[in-house]
Amino acid sequence: MSPTFRLKNYFKPCLQSIPETSTVLHCKSSKLLLENGLVSPTGNGLYSFLPMGFRAVEKICKIIDNELEAIGALKLELPALTSIDLWKKTGRYDANNNELFVLKDRKERKYVLGPTHEETITNLVASSAPHPVRSLPIMLYQITAKYRDEPRPRYGLIRGREFIMKDLYTFDKSIEDAKVTYEKVSEGYDKIFRRLGLQFLKVEGPTGNMGGTVSHEYHYPSPIGDDRLLLCRACNTGVNVELDRPSQCSSCNGRLTETHGIEIGHTFLLGSKYSSALNATFINANGKTQPLEMGCYGIGVSRIVAAAVELLSSERQIRWPLEIAPFKVCIIPPKIGSKEEAATSFVDDIEKRLSKSKEYNGDILIDDRTNLTIGKRFMEAKKTGYPFIVIVGKNALDQTPKFELENLVKQTNEQLTFDQLMTHLDA
Amino acid sequence: MSPTFRLKNYFKPCLQSIPETSTVLHCKSSKLLLENGLVSPTGNGLYSFLPMGFRAVEKICKIIDNELEAIGALKLELPALTSIDLWKKTGRYDANNNELFVLKDRKERKYVLGPTHEETITNLVASSAPHPVRSLPIMLYQITAKYRDEPRPRYGLIRGREFIMKDLYTFDKSIEDAKVTYEKVSEGYDKIFRRLGLQFLKVEGPTGNMGGTVSHEYHYPSPIGDDRLLLCRACNTGVNVELDRPSQCSSCNGRLTETHGIEIGHTFLLGSKYSSALNATFINANGKTQPLEMGCYGIGVSRIVAAAVELLSSERQIRWPLEIAPFKVCIIPPKIGSKEEAATSFVDDIEKRLSKSKEYNGDILIDDRTNLTIGKRFMEAKKTGYPFIVIVGKNALDQTPKFELENLVKQTNEQLTFDQLMTHLDA
């Protein structure tokens, strides 16, 4: 069984007073994540995930692992340090020079700190090429820190210089096969984003000039989003304005409305740009080697944490999608020295019973800072946005003890008996 | 239920011919990990973990998470990019200049790629200081990539330039409390290393010149280890020769023997060196602020993968501790077109039954490359070192079908009925 956590000893530094002029406060999510001790800035565009914020990250990673494993993708880990030679071979060093973090080792060899890993993975696949057709498609992904020297980092985690990203790369024998793989990954993506619990938009993205390639972007609609999208509400399709500026919907001729989106995922049929440059090949039907057809697929993991908070929260209180809330339940015991203190043992009863449920095991936090009033702790719990807040207060002293349940998902507040509480939480 | 994996589509490039002169082949583990498609070199001292190798990494991480959670440590994630200013404040920039990877951003600000995170974490704790005594000890850890510009990277993962490390930092109000925390973490470490399943040595390590500080190193004894240790076999204590060169054991006066060790963990009572320099404080009994007393604790995660292989394997075959083997069971179905092919359906039966057991769920690999002979696949399975290899071969056609179980842990090979097989595997 996983442990229950306690706030007295939990590192969640709630900053009361971030100066209003601070450059980190560009948006609601950034302010709320900082104030509630979920992240901490360590430099321009650089953030530490504090323990509670990192729980949200790990939950997102688990959902991703789960759905990518289900479509047959394999997880690996590539170094962040990439030889600059590989980046020169694909022509991306000169194209992205400004946004790359570049460093030298003691022998003056240059490395790129990977903002993404097309070069590394293609070179890796090339090292055991040519691949027999029966081993295709190859589908490999990782979840690691990525680096981009943004000219203007902003919106906290939404546009940082070091961030956590999931990047998946696929290798097929033909464009047709690569499209089948693309559809398969897209279905996996749809499942991931549905499980994350937030309404998302999927639009056509810029495809570049390579002919025959396909690209889709996943967005959370938000005024702080950097991308401008044109959406058809009638048939729920859309397009990034960078790509096109149609006057009406190409599917149903419906009216288009413009909205801003935070890009949280991107799928791309790459073709053979990288595989040709780096010799990642397979053996075709004629026994000849031929470059593999690639796809690449990203999800912005740390960005999703902030974007979710941005979308659901009020100016003063965080709200989480249930599946990625750092803790699902927060239990608030009586204040020390109060009349209700006699009811303290119910806290253990509730915690033990909830821990037996797979749904809540390891996902329970007890705010044992019993020197503080229930009211003060309740306010903080609501602000941090635990989906279910259980208060063991004065009604716990009734002949039939009752407990207050604040349900932030359904926005209800009820006094419930122990059994009703368990039924309500479906534990 | 977690999926069962299949080798036909598994990215495990078995290199048949690494040139004997290759500089990556400095030791047995490096050769075996490369040959079996578990890791792949991407540069001098830089390695990718391929899917199967990364499974071993994830298993080690899970054991660490589990035991550190049990002692109340919280997981977070700090950026690799650290402002050079922090390193100057603690005096470590000048002291370690050569081994640090340093880079500049577009505004010419300098950053260190963290080889370890004392500066970052202490600065983080300082940002919410002074801490009330009731919130102590603070115990924070992460598992991330670390960077060190080694002059001579060698032995593959054992001494690389980018590697995976677990680093834990603790903060207490007094040396006495910090020692209690030190003992608590040490007990956690003992559990972690016992669960990893390899005999380890724990010796006194160099403490530096700070007086009153304590340090212990965890080693796997191996001729390729960089550290020289003096051990007393009588009372099982030891010391790093860097620290001391006693002529006999200080505990029991026993004879000391010298051995080489691969350092896989290090615990250190740090004192207030970093907390003083960076103002990480608490409020003492007199209401004054005072620097926190720190401990720091590392485990070399990627190094353990290689060290485990180095210790257990022969020159030609990998052996894993059961708990970190990439897969626990490999099932080998009949060759296509063979007489035994009629028995193929047993593969599913075995797989389904094993998947129901918590012990094997998600830990099963089927070598479905049925174009290859059973013999060839069996050889490869033994070489990769899956602890249990199950062959559905010609005895599966007997009236009472029998299956061959090669048990690499007990080094036995038996023909077993379905029920005997399950009993043997305790599934």
Side-chain angles (χ1 to χ4, degrees):
Chain A
M1 207 148 68
S2 301
T4 289
F5 293 83
R6 285 173 168 77
L7 259 184
K8 201 190 283 174
N9 215 233
Y10 202 95
F11 191 73
K12 177 182 181 289
C14 294
L15 304 180
Q16 304 299 334
S17 55
I18 305 166
E20 286 291 333
T21 54
S22 167
T23 55
V24 293
L25 293 184
H26 288 300
C27 63
K28 186 170 65 179
S29 56
S30 185
K31 180 169 172 283
L32 287 167
L33 291 170
L34 287 169
E35 277 179 0
N36 288 285
L38 296 154
V39 304
S40 176
T42 68
N44 186 24
L46 300 172
Y47 288 84
S48 292
F49 271 103
L50 303 186
M52 204 167 287
F54 194 57
R55 286 180 64 93
V57 170
E58 289 200 303
K59 288 183 176 194
I60 296 169
C61 294
K62 213 166 173 180
I63 290 172
I64 293 174
D65 282 343
N66 211 234
E67 295 298 339
L68 293 188
E69 223 174 40
I71 60 167
L74 300 171
K75 195 173 185 180
L76 45 53
E77 198 164 294
L78 310 166
L81 290 172
T82 316
S83 167
I84 208 172
D85 299 341
L86 281 183
W87 279 75
K88 285 187 170 163
K89 273 191 196 166
T90 61
R92 288 217 295 177
Y93 178 66
D94 299 316
N96 296 279
N97 214 338
N98 283 333
E99 300 223 327
L100 297 177
F101 281 114
V102 177
L103 70 160
K104 285 183 201 163
D105 69 9
R106 61 170 74 219
K107 291 185 176 159
E108 299 286 315
R109 282 173 300 209
K110 279 184 166 181
Y111 296 86
V112 169
L113 269 189
T116 168
H117 279 88
E118 281 80 5
E119 280 77 4
T120 312
I121 197 93
T122 310
N123 194 49
L124 173 65
V125 169
S127 72
S128 51
H131 293 270
V133 163
R134 70 167 182 283
S135 69
L136 304 177
I138 296 169
M139 304 170 78
L140 302 168
Y141 80 100
Q142 60 175 349
I143 305 179
T144 56
K146 303 289 186 292
Y147 301 86
R148 190 174 300 170
D149 195 356
E150 284 283 348
R152 285 182 312 276
R154 64 187 179 283
Y155 302 140
L157 301 174
I158 289 173
R159 190 167 290 276
R161 298 197 297 167
E162 177 171 348
F163 48 96
I164 306 170
M165 193 172 114
K166 186 285 300 172
D167 44 336
L168 163 69
Y169 306 90
T170 65
F171 300 82
D172 270 287
K173 72 173 193 299
S174 64
I175 292 282
E176 292 69 40
D177 282 17
K179 279 185 181 164
V180 172
T181 300
Y182 187 86
E183 285 310 314
K184 199 171 164 184
V185 176
S186 297
E187 280 164 32
Y189 264 45
D190 291 347
K191 282 188 191 163
I192 289 167
F193 288 116
R194 279 201 297 270
R195 282 180 65 180
L196 288 174
L198 281 171
Q199 197 79 40
F200 62 93
L201 301 169
K202 185 176 170 181
V203 303
E204 290 172 54
T207 52
N209 302 318
M210 283 189 289
T213 59
V214 178
S215 159
H216 288 92
E217 297 171 355
Y218 292 75
H219 287 273
Y220 286 151
S222 163
I224 68 161
D226 273 341
D227 288 273
R228 284 161 60 210
L229 316 171
L230 281 172
L231 294 178
C232 173
R233 300 290 178 187
C235 68
N236 210 23
T237 59
V239 64
N240 191 314
V241 298
E242 236 183 273
L243 176 69
D244 200 359
R245 263 210 156 285
S247 55
Q248 55 189 38
C249 174
S250 59
S251 306
C252 74
N253 294 326
R255 230 182 100 236
L256 297 173
T257 49
E258 191 172 311
T259 187
H260 283 255
I262 302 171
E263 189 186 290
I264 42 155
H266 203 154
T267 58
F268 207 92
L269 204 57
L270 272 184
S272 60
K273 172 178 173 179
Y274 299 91
S275 53
S276 294
L278 298 167
N279 275 318
T281 56
F282 72 101
I283 306 164
N284 69 18
N286 304 321
K288 296 256 160 61
T289 61
Q290 190 180 320
L292 289 155
E293 296 291 334
M294 291 175 60
C296 74
Y297 310 81
I299 292 181
V301 175
S302 43
R303 179 179 285 183
I304 286 173
V305 175
V309 168
E310 187 71 27
L311 261 67
L312 293 182
S313 307
S314 71
E315 288 292 334
R316 312 197 134 261
Q317 297 183 333
I318 298 183
R319 291 298 171 268
W320 298 96
L322 182 59
E323 291 308 317
I324 69 170
F327 289 96
K328 284 187 184 157
V329 185
C330 176
I331 309 175
I332 302 178
K335 184 173 194 293
I336 202 161
S338 69
K339 205 167 57 181
E340 302 91 273
E341 204 183 356
T344 298
S345 68
F346 287 118
V347 172
D348 263 12
D349 298 342
I350 296 169
E351 185 256 308
K352 279 202 183 108
R353 173 68 180 275
L354 288 178
S355 289
K356 281 186 191 142
S357 143
K358 207 180 153 197
E359 181 72 15
Y360 298 107
N361 179 30
D363 244 333
I364 307 164
L365 181 74
I366 298 178
D367 189 345
D368 60 344
R369 298 170 304 166
T370 48
N371 59 315
L372 304 177
T373 64
I374 283 183
K376 192 172 164 57
R377 284 176 286 157
F378 181 52
M379 291 301 286
E380 190 184 315
K382 282 217 294 189
K383 196 171 180 227
T384 312
Y386 312 110
F388 307 114
I389 304 167
V390 178
I391 297 173
V392 178
K394 64 177 194 299
N395 295 327
L397 296 174
D398 292 356
Q399 199 159 13
T400 306
K402 293 213 176 58
F403 310 97
E404 183 176 342
L405 173 68
E406 175 89 10
N407 181 331
L408 295 186
V409 184
K410 294 189 185 163
Q411 296 187 292
T412 57
N413 181 293
E414 294 176 275
Q415 295 284 338
L416 303 169
T417 65
F418 188 87
D419 288 342
Q420 286 170 337
L421 180 65
M422 293 308 148
T423 308
H424 192 113
L425 292 174
D426 203 14
Chain B
M1 206 147 69
S2 301
T4 289
F5 293 82
R6 285 173 168 77
L7 258 184
K8 200 190 283 174
N9 214 232
Y10 203 94
F11 191 73
K12 179 184 181 286
C14 295
L15 305 179
Q16 304 299 333
S17 56
I18 305 166
E20 287 291 331
T21 54
S22 167
T23 56
V24 293
L25 293 184
H26 288 299
C27 63
K28 186 171 65 181
S29 55
S30 185
K31 179 168 172 286
L32 287 167
L33 291 170
L34 287 170
E35 277 179 1
N36 287 284
L38 296 153
V39 303
S40 175
T42 67
N44 187 23
L46 299 172
Y47 287 86
S48 293
F49 271 103
L50 303 185
M52 205 169 285
F54 194 58
R55 286 180 65 93
V57 170
E58 289 201 303
K59 288 182 176 195
I60 296 169
C61 293
K62 213 165 172 179
I63 291 172
I64 292 174
D65 282 343
N66 210 233
E67 295 299 339
L68 293 187
E69 221 173 42
I71 60 168
L74 299 171
K75 194 173 187 181
L76 45 52
E77 197 163 297
L78 309 168
L81 290 173
T82 316
S83 167
I84 207 171
D85 299 340
L86 282 183
W87 280 74
K88 285 188 171 163
K89 274 191 196 166
T90 61
R92 289 218 294 179
Y93 179 65
D94 299 318
N96 295 279
N97 213 337
N98 282 333
E99 299 222 329
L100 296 178
F101 281 114
V102 177
L103 71 158
K104 285 184 202 162
D105 68 10
R106 60 169 76 218
K107 291 186 176 158
E108 299 286 316
R109 282 172 300 210
K110 278 184 167 180
Y111 296 85
V112 169
L113 269 189
T116 167
H117 279 89
E118 281 79 6
E119 280 77 4
T120 311
I121 197 94
T122 310
N123 193 48
L124 174 65
V125 168
S127 71
S128 51
H131 293 270
V133 162
R134 70 168 184 281
S135 69
L136 305 176
I138 295 168
M139 304 171 79
L140 301 168
Y141 79 101
Q142 60 173 350
I143 304 178
T144 57
K146 303 288 187 290
Y147 301 85
R148 191 175 299 171
D149 195 357
E150 285 283 347
R152 284 182 313 278
R154 63 188 180 283
Y155 301 140
L157 301 175
I158 288 174
R159 191 166 288 274
R161 299 197 297 166
E162 176 171 346
F163 49 96
I164 305 169
M165 193 172 115
K166 186 285 301 170
D167 44 336
L168 164 70
Y169 306 90
T170 64
F171 300 83
D172 270 287
K173 73 173 192 298
S174 65
I175 293 283
E176 293 68 40
D177 282 17
K179 279 183 181 164
V180 172
T181 299
Y182 187 87
E183 285 311 313
K184 200 170 163 185
V185 176
S186 297
E187 281 164 31
Y189 264 46
D190 290 349
K191 281 187 192 162
I192 290 167
F193 289 116
R194 280 201 297 270
R195 281 181 65 181
L196 288 174
L198 281 171
Q199 197 80 42
F200 62 94
L201 301 169
K202 187 176 169 180
V203 304
E204 291 171 53
T207 52
N209 303 317
M210 283 188 286
T213 60
V214 178
S215 157
H216 288 93
E217 297 171 355
Y218 292 76
H219 288 272
Y220 287 150
S222 163
I224 68 160
D226 273 341
D227 288 271
R228 284 161 60 210
L229 316 171
L230 281 172
L231 294 178
C232 173
R233 302 289 178 186
C235 68
N236 209 22
T237 60
V239 64
N240 191 316
V241 299
E242 238 183 90
L243 176 69
D244 199 2
R245 264 211 154 287
S247 56
Q248 55 189 38
C249 173
S250 59
S251 307
C252 74
N253 294 327
R255 228 182 102 237
L256 296 173
T257 50
E258 190 172 312
T259 186
H260 283 254
I262 302 170
E263 188 187 289
I264 42 154
H266 203 156
T267 57
F268 208 91
L269 204 56
L270 272 185
S272 59
K273 172 177 172 181
Y274 299 90
S275 52
S276 295
L278 298 168
N279 276 317
T281 57
F282 72 100
I283 306 163
N284 70 17
N286 304 321
K288 296 257 159 61
T289 61
Q290 190 180 319
L292 289 155
E293 296 289 335
M294 290 175 60
C296 74
Y297 310 82
I299 293 181
V301 175
S302 43
R303 180 180 283 182
I304 285 173
V305 174
V309 168
E310 187 71 28
L311 261 68
L312 293 182
S313 306
S314 71
E315 288 293 335
R316 314 197 131 260
Q317 295 183 333
I318 297 184
R319 291 296 171 268
W320 297 97
L322 182 58
E323 291 308 317
I324 69 169
F327 289 96
K328 284 187 182 156
V329 185
C330 176
I331 308 175
I332 301 178
K335 185 174 192 295
I336 202 161
S338 70
K339 206 168 53 181
E340 303 90 274
E341 203 183 355
T344 298
S345 67
F346 287 118
V347 172
D348 262 11
D349 298 344
I350 295 169
E351 185 257 308
K352 280 203 182 104
R353 172 68 180 274
L354 287 178
S355 289
K356 281 187 190 141
S357 144
K358 206 181 153 194
E359 182 72 17
Y360 298 107
N361 180 28
D363 244 334
I364 307 164
L365 181 74
I366 298 178
D367 190 346
D368 59 344
R369 299 172 302 166
T370 47
N371 59 315
L372 305 176
T373 64
I374 284 183
K376 189 171 167 56
R377 285 176 286 157
F378 181 52
M379 291 301 285
E380 190 185 314
K382 283 218 293 189
K383 195 169 181 231
T384 312
Y386 311 108
F388 307 114
I389 304 167
V390 179
I391 297 173
V392 178
K394 64 176 191 298
N395 294 328
L397 296 174
D398 291 356
Q399 197 157 17
T400 305
K402 292 216 176 57
F403 310 96
E404 183 175 344
L405 172 68
E406 175 89 9
N407 180 331
L408 296 186
V409 184
K410 295 190 185 163
Q411 297 188 291
T412 57
N413 181 293
E414 294 175 276
Q415 295 284 339
L416 303 169
T417 65
F418 187 87
D419 288 343
Q420 285 170 338
L421 179 65
M422 293 308 147
T423 308
H424 191 113
L425 292 174
D426 203 14

